[in-house]
């Protein structure tokens, strides 16, 4: 997994690449905690995520809990069909709303 | 009584077991007062405080939604009442939204020691998830429906919804199917196909064609397909299942004359099949040869004659193609030429010499390409193909991995390579890979927390004879106190949400989690416009004329008989035989084209006459087009009058 992030008009945009599983849990939590501390509005772009399981969902819900306490939000962009399906199965599609791309997530 | 108690355990154990059984249990007395309920039932209904309360107070829905009727029927008949997938809307006493629940239930009379009925004993199983999943599949068909743009295409959507979109993936056979619905509404509607996998590795292939067209034919097709499929699913032999639809057809004129081919393939290559008025299956050998199987000589359904079966054999790598007559009944081509062309084209697609099509299994390729290659110039009827190739599938994958986080991805990759080799489709693979990831992660994280060195995780995947993936993840650890993350719970919940069944077994030797999930491949629906090179011109059609009988010769039909004028032929021949009362001989030697609609009319005339104690006899010169068609579908025709 690779992560890069930037700040666009006050919104943190975090792009994840590759496979998100147990092997990257510490790194992912570390990065997302840091971003959650810096910004209350976060778009996590999943367009290049080739695999994700509950490790990723847990990290995202933790980020959501962190920013929600400051009236912030976390939005997801571009997940693959399987990842989208996963969000539905666990009922997270309202907590972590999904958008087609980063721009529509930022400006929603 | 005392004996009973001794054999059924201590009362408190029985109560505990009753309370914890994972299906809902209720007992109620004759005056509709609850006597007992268990936890699963209370949780399903979302209420408590049943004991001693009346049904109408605690569960007014049962009154409102007429469930009480089945209680009453249990009292009246003294027999258990079975409800399947019963839809119930349950209100929330604290004002929340109404829940829709689907349940299977059985209500049985509850008797005292003297046998008198004192109340009802019921069990209830929540099957909401199963029903929802099926609905999702149906919605996919609805999406397809919205894609249709032409008026009348809803018929295609209806037919599509009635056909099995998913085909089994099996250890001994690769299965594929393709179909195309006729362009003209006047012809579409009656074709169906099916592939039924059985628990001992057999697979039954079916292609049938109900007489007529339009919504009535589609509805009849839905009925006859369901009955055949249901019988086989319930354990009937294909022979008995076919006999059942034959009887159905004898009672129901809408189904009379349906042609069908049923072929049962065994893992050892033996094929038992019956061609009931249907063209013969085509065996495509791995060595590049093709041969039509012999007709079994059975008549279409409802003709009152016994169904005859034959046996044949497929070698390893051989395929069997079953198809509807729409494939050989093409405008401007004789049946004979068309059958020869089918033989040639299917042989080439089986050998992989036709179109390039990587990633498809042989059976799938045979169906899709044969359809595409033969239907380019248009078809006048629905066309349906189903094929199975005898192949050994890699039924097992077994991995032993170190219990380390980096191994989770390796487990996924190995399992995915195996699933791809089986021919699993992307959606099924994605679900199974998430399950692998969750289960292996759990073992890596929690199994060996108490041991100084990490142990191993074993992953075993297996394809069962009836086409399910059974995946088991096992460790040899003790599952000590892990981090109090909600991961473990959420991981398993995800696996349960994605797959059908999850079983966890834990003993001193470690923990094993087994999941089972039925995988499938898709049948291909081709719409006429989707085939490249297709020319949507109406084929030239000629009419027939009837030449009256004279001293020398019987009534002669001269010209084309097709779905556009078959009804006219029926009316006129029926008049000549005074509704089947008078014996009639019809000479078809000068028929230039005879489609399945015409065959159906002839069959009906023959069977109506037989019922009246009379006879309609068909005559066709050897080598004439009609003779060829009658031979292919097994209708008896004399050579010379």
């Amino acid at each position: 997994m690779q992560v890069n992030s930037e700040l666009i008009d006050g919104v943190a945009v975090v792009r994840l690449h590759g496979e998100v599983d147990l092997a990257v849990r510490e790194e992912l939590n570390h990065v997302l905690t840091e971003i959650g501390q810096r910004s209350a509005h976060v778009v996590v772009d999943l367009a290049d995520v080739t695999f994700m399981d509950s490790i990723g969902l847990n990290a995202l819900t933790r980020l959501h809990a962190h920013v929600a306490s400051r009236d912030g939000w976390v939005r997801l962009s571009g997940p693959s069909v399987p990842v989208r399906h996963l969000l539905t199965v666990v009922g997270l599609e309202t907590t972590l709303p999904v958008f087609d791309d980063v721009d529509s997530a930022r400006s929603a | 009584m005392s004996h009973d108690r001794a054999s059924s355990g201590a009362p408190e154990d029985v109560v505990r077991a009753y309370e914890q059984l994972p299906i809902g249990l209720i007992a109620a007395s004759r005056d509709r007062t609850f006597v007992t309920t268990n936890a699963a039932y209370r949780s399903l209904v979302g209420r408590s405080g049943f004991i001693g309360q009346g049904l109408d107070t605690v569960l007014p829905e049962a009154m409102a939604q007429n469930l009480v009727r089945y209680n009453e029927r249990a009292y009246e008949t003294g027999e258990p009442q079975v409800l399947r997938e019963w839809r119930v809307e349950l209100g929330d006493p604290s004002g929340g939204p109404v829940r829709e629940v689907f349940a299977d239930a059985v209500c049985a009379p509850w008797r005292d020691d003297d046998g008198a009925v004192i109340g009802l004993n019921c069990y209830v199983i929540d099957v909401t998830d199963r029903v929802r999943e099926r609905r999702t599949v149906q919605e996919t068909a609805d999406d397809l429906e919205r894609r249709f743009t032409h008026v009348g295409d809803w018929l295609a959507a209806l037919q599509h919804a009635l056909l099995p979109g998913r085909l089994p993936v099996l250890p001994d056979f690769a299965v594929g199917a393709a179909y195309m619905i006729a362009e003209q509404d006047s012809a579409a509607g009656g074709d169906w196909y099916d592939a039924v996998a059985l628990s001992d590795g057999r697979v039954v292939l079916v292609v049938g064609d109900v007489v007529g067209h339009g919504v009535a034919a589609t509805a009849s097709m839905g009925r006859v397909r369901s009955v055949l499929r249901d019988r086989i699913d319930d354990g009937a032999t294909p022979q008995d299942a076919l006999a059942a639809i034959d009887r159905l057809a004898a009672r129901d004129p809408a189904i009379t004359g349906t042609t069908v081919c049923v072929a049962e393939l065994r893992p050892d290559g033996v094929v038992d099949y019956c061609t009931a008025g249907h063209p013969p299956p085509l065996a495509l050998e791995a060595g590049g040869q093709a041969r039509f199987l012999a007709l079994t000589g059975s008549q279409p359904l409802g003709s009152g004659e016994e169904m005859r079966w034959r046996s044949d054999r497929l070698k390893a790598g051989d395929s069997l193609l079953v198809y509807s007559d729409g494939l050989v009944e093409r405008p401007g081509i004789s049946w004979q030429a068309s059958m020869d062309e089918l033989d040639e084209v299917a042989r080439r697609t089986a050998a992989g010499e036709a179109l390039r099509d990587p990633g498809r299994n042989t059976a799938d390729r045979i169906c899709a390409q044969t359809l595409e290659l033969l239907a380019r110039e248009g078809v006048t009827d629905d066309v349906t193909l189903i094929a199975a190739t005898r192949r050994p599938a890699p039924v097992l994958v077994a991995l032993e991995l170190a219990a380390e986080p980096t191994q989770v991805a390796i487990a996924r990759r190995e399992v995915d390579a195996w699933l791809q080799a089986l021919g699993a489709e992307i959606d099924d693979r994605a679900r199974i890979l998430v399950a692998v990831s969750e289960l292996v992660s759990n073992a890596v994280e929690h199994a060996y927390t108490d041991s100084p060195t990490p142990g191993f995780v074993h992953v075993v995947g297996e394809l069962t004879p009836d086409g399910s993936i059974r995946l088991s993840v096992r460790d040899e650890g003790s599952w000590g106190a892990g981090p109090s993350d909600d991961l473990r719970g959420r991981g398993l919940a995800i696996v349960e949400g994605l797959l059908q069944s999850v079983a966890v077994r834990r003993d001193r030797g470690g923990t094993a989690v087994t999941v089972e999930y039925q995988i499938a491949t898709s049948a291909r629906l081709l719409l006429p416009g989707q085939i490249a090179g297709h020319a949507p011109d109406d084929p030239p059609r000629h009419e027939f004329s009837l030449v009256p009988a004279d001293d020398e010769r019987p009534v002669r039909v001269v010209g084309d008989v097709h779905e556009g004028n078959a009804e006219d032929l029926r009316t006129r021949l029926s008049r000549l035989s005074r509704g089947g009362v008078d014996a009639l001989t019809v000479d078809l030697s000068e028929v230039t084209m005879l489609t399945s609609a015409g065959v159906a009319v002839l069959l009906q005339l023959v069977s109506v006459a037989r019922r009246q104690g009379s006879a309609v006899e068909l005559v066709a010169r050897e080598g004439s087009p009609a003779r060829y068609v009658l031979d292919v579908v097994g209708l008896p025709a004399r050579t010379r009058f």
Side-chain angles (χ1 to χ4, degrees):
Chain A
M1 182 195 70
Q2 284 185 312
V3 189
N4 47 52
S5 62
E6 59 180 322
L7 203 63
I8 307 176
D9 298 337
V11 176
V13 175
V14 190
R15 293 190 170 87
L16 306 183
H17 307 264
E19 298 187 313
V20 179
D21 71 1
L22 186 63
V24 303
R25 180 170 58 182
E26 315 306 332
E27 184 191 351
L28 181 65
N29 280 336
H30 177 74
V31 169
L32 292 185
T33 305
E34 211 172 51
I35 284 164
Q37 278 161 359
R38 282 207 312 260
S39 175
H41 301 104
V42 186
V43 171
V44 182
D45 183 32
L46 302 174
D48 286 336
V49 169
T50 50
F51 179 84
M52 186 164 99
D53 60 15
S54 61
I55 300 287
L57 296 184
N58 284 327
L60 291 171
T61 40
R62 194 170 300 164
L63 172 65
H64 173 264
H66 191 62
V67 299
S69 61
R70 290 178 282 140
D71 286 337
W73 44 252
V74 176
R75 294 170 184 162
L76 308 181
S77 68
S80 65
V81 172
V83 171
R84 213 177 265 250
H85 188 191
L86 198 62
L87 290 163
T88 316
V89 165
V90 294
L92 282 176
E93 69 275 43
T94 46
T95 317
L96 299 169
V98 170
F99 298 84
D100 287 343
D101 53 50
V102 171
D103 284 346
S104 44
R106 266 194 320 118
S107 55
Chain B
M1 230 18 227
S2 61
H3 174 75
D4 280 351
R5 252 195 213 118
S7 63
S8 52
E12 58 272 27
D13 288 342
V14 176
V15 169
R16 202 173 297 128
Y18 178 92
E19 177 66 8
Q20 292 180 11
L21 269 177
I23 59 174
L25 301 169
I26 327 131
S29 63
R30 185 82 220 219
D31 61 358
R32 294 181 185 156
T33 305
F34 282 97
V35 179
T36 65
T37 62
N38 75 344
Y41 180 75
R42 294 191 295 273
S43 143
L44 170 68
V45 180
R47 291 164 214 187
S48 53
F50 285 91
I51 312 301
Q53 296 291 315
L55 184 66
D56 50 351
T57 352
V58 206
L59 203 60
E61 294 93 340
M63 312 294 278
Q65 295 169 33
N66 209 14
L67 289 170
V68 171
R69 186 162 149 231
Y70 296 90
N71 296 353
E72 289 309 315
R73 194 179 287 170
Y75 285 123
E76 280 161 26
T77 61
E79 297 290 329
Q81 299 299 306
V82 180
L83 304 182
R84 269 184 59 79
E85 299 189 348
W86 211 257
R87 194 172 79 87
V88 186
E89 286 188 345
L90 291 168
D92 181 353
S94 57
V98 171
R99 276 189 307 140
E100 184 189 58
V101 172
F102 291 83
D104 285 351
V106 173
C107 279
W110 175 23
R111 298 174 193 275
D112 67 12
D113 289 351
D114 300 319
V117 175
I118 53 169
L120 291 177
N121 256 325
C122 311
Y123 76 76
V124 185
I125 301 172
D126 184 350
V127 295
T128 311
D129 288 349
R130 182 176 83 201
V131 174
R132 293 245 164 88
E133 181 148 353
R134 206 176 51 227
R135 285 186 165 185
T136 314
V137 173
Q138 280 163 358
E139 272 162 23
T140 315
D142 292 347
D143 286 344
L144 183 85
E145 181 169 1
R146 278 189 286 277
R147 285 221 313 272
F148 288 115
T149 47
H150 301 294
V151 180
D153 280 353
W154 57 270
L155 178 64
L158 174 63
Q159 194 173 8
H160 183 69
L162 285 170
L163 292 170
R166 284 161 67 86
L167 302 165
V169 174
L170 302 171
D172 298 298
F173 299 101
V175 180
Y179 67 108
M180 186 160 84
I181 292 163
E183 309 159 67
Q184 297 138 318
D185 295 347
S186 60
D191 266 21
W192 90 93
Y193 65 89
D194 220 334
V196 195
L198 301 169
S199 59
D200 58 1
R202 282 176 295 151
V203 61
V204 181
L205 303 184
V206 181
V207 170
D209 184 0
V210 172
V211 177
H213 53 79
V215 70
T218 304
S220 301
M221 175 274 278
R223 288 181 58 211
V224 69
R225 177 180 105 76
S226 305
V227 171
L228 185 69
R229 163 117 212 175
D230 196 51
R231 289 290 170 113
I232 299 173
D233 277 342
D234 273 354
T237 61
Q239 287 81 356
D240 287 346
L242 180 61
I245 57 170
D246 188 30
R247 288 192 299 273
L248 180 70
R251 291 193 301 270
D252 183 347
I255 298 173
T256 306
T258 296
T259 73
V260 64
C261 176
V262 181
E264 178 195 40
L265 284 66
R266 298 205 313 234
D268 64 3
V270 171
V271 181
D272 288 319
Y273 68 100
C274 173
T275 57
H278 203 88
L282 182 62
L284 298 155
E285 295 175 0
Q289 301 299 306
R291 63 186 168 92
F292 286 103
L293 269 48
L295 289 167
T296 65
S298 298
Q299 303 295 303
L301 300 185
S303 58
E305 289 188 23
E306 202 191 333
M307 289 292 161
R308 290 194 285 272
W309 288 68
R310 277 176 178 266
S311 271
D312 208 298
R313 194 177 195 98
L314 295 179
K315 295 189 297 297
D318 291 359
S319 304
L320 189 74
L321 172 65
V322 187
Y323 52 91
S324 64
D325 56 11
L327 190 63
V328 282
E329 193 172 282
R330 287 174 294 131
I333 306 177
S334 75
W335 270 56
Q336 175 122 44
S338 201
M339 294 283 277
D340 291 347
E341 198 185 346
L342 165 62
D343 181 318
E344 177 66 19
V345 165
R347 193 186 60 71
R348 267 199 251 126
T349 61
E353 294 165 10
L355 307 169
R356 254 179 51 79
D357 223 343
R360 285 182 169 181
N361 73 46
T362 311
D364 187 20
R365 192 180 63 221
I366 290 170
C367 293
Q369 294 189 359
T370 302
L371 174 58
E372 178 164 357
L373 293 174
L374 289 180
R376 280 179 208 250
E377 296 130 54
V379 290
T380 52
D381 195 358
D382 294 347
V383 181
T384 305
L385 304 91
I386 190 163
T389 305
R390 242 191 107 194
R391 57 111 199 236
V395 289
L396 207 66
V397 63
L399 312 169
E400 184 183 66
L401 304 163
E404 289 167 10
T406 52
Q407 301 297 298
V408 180
I410 293 177
R412 283 199 306 270
R413 254 183 273 305
E414 295 287 332
V415 171
D416 195 31
W418 173 63
L419 291 172
Q420 288 196 51
L422 287 178
E425 291 189 349
I426 183 126
D427 176 64
D428 287 344
R429 277 165 46 210
R431 286 167 188 258
I432 293 166
L433 294 183
V434 170
V436 168
S437 206
E438 299 293 350
L439 299 178
V440 174
S441 296
N442 273 354
V444 167
E445 272 219 293
H446 305 293
Y448 299 104
T449 46
D450 289 347
S451 75
T453 51
F456 291 97
V457 180
H458 303 270
V459 178
V460 177
E462 185 192 348
L463 178 66
T464 66
D466 58 354
S468 287
I469 294 291
R470 187 180 295 145
L471 186 85
S472 147
V473 175
R474 186 169 57 81
D475 62 62
E476 287 136 13
S478 56
W479 284 63
S484 64
D485 201 340
D486 61 345
L487 174 123
R488 203 157 30 167
R490 178 171 281 169
L492 268 188
I494 287 175
V495 175
E496 269 168 4
L498 290 173
L499 307 183
Q500 285 151 354
S501 69
V502 179
V504 182
R505 188 172 50 77
R506 192 164 294 170
D507 58 30
R508 223 174 289 151
T511 296
V513 182
T514 304
V515 297
E516 209 166 304
Y517 183 71
Q518 191 141 41
I519 59 171
T521 56
S522 312
R524 288 166 198 281
L525 164 67
L526 292 173
L527 299 172
Q530 282 175 331
I531 293 182
H534 161 66
D537 293 339
D538 278 343
R541 282 299 170 82
H542 306 287
E543 297 306 312
F544 68 84
S545 53
L546 273 190
V547 182
D550 55 32
D551 292 344
E552 314 233 307
R553 305 180 66 179
V555 181
R556 291 183 288 147
V557 184
V558 180
D560 286 0
V561 180
H562 47 76
E563 61 283 351
N565 62 15
E567 217 26 65
D568 185 35
L569 179 69
R570 186 221 307 271
T571 314
R572 290 168 67 182
L573 287 178
S574 178
R575 210 175 290 147
L576 282 177
S577 69
R578 296 201 297 132
V581 173
D582 292 351
L584 181 70
T585 300
V586 184
D587 188 343
L588 303 167
S589 300
E590 293 156 273
V591 169
T592 39
M593 174 190 189
L594 179 61
T595 75
S596 55
V599 173
V601 161
L602 294 171
L603 178 89
Q604 262 166 336
L605 286 167
V606 169
S607 60
V608 165
R610 190 186 295 140
R611 229 172 286 154
Q612 309 272 12
S614 177
V616 166
E617 194 171 26
L618 305 176
V619 180
R621 201 182 56 243
E622 201 82 57
S624 65
R627 177 56 185 255
Y628 188 80
V629 172
L630 294 179
D631 282 349
V632 167
V633 302
L635 256 183
R638 279 200 315 168
T639 299
R640 202 183 299 275
F641 178 68

